[in-house]
Amino acid sequence: VEHMASISDYLILDCMFLKGTTKHMGIDNIKYLLDKYPKCQYIVTHLEDETRKELKKQSLKNVIIPEDGEEIEIV
């Protein structure tokens, strides 16, 4: 994931939990990537309701939080 973040303009990641596990990423993992690779835009998917609310509250720069069913055009 770090390699992809280092070479990508956009990266689509799951962000299931507040704190990541061995199977799903969390807000802590997204923040780590943001700090290390700030030029990348992160589109988060596979969100629990609690995680979505917390991400919106934190207003993290370069994190795109789409709504269910929303389409995102990357040009």
Side-chain angles (χ1 to χ4, degrees):
V1 173
E2 285 193 54
H3 174 69
M4 291 186 292
S6 73
I7 62 171
S8 300
D9 293 327
Y10 292 88
L11 195 56
I12 300 170
L13 302 167
D14 95 289
C15 186
M16 184 79 152
F17 302 117
L18 301 175
K19 183 172 170 53
T21 67
T22 57
K23 295 182 181 183
H24 292 285
M25 296 183 76
I27 295 174
D28 59 331
N29 303 119
I30 302 299
K31 285 179 160 181
Y32 170 82
L33 291 170
L34 278 168
D35 287 341
K36 195 160 182 184
Y37 309 101
K39 293 181 181 179
C40 187
Q41 295 276 320
Y42 300 92
I43 302 168
V44 293
T45 65
H46 201 209
L47 298 163
E48 290 284 336
D49 290 339
E50 180 183 7
T51 309
R52 180 184 302 280
K53 287 177 190 173
E54 183 61 31
L55 274 171
K56 286 182 176 184
K57 187 170 35 173
Q58 292 190 24
S59 299
L60 300 171
K61 184 179 178 188
N62 292 347
V63 175
I64 299 167
I65 309 164
E67 295 299 324
D68 289 343
E70 182 178 349
E71 294 181 16
I72 297 174
E73 183 177 341
I74 299 172
V75 290

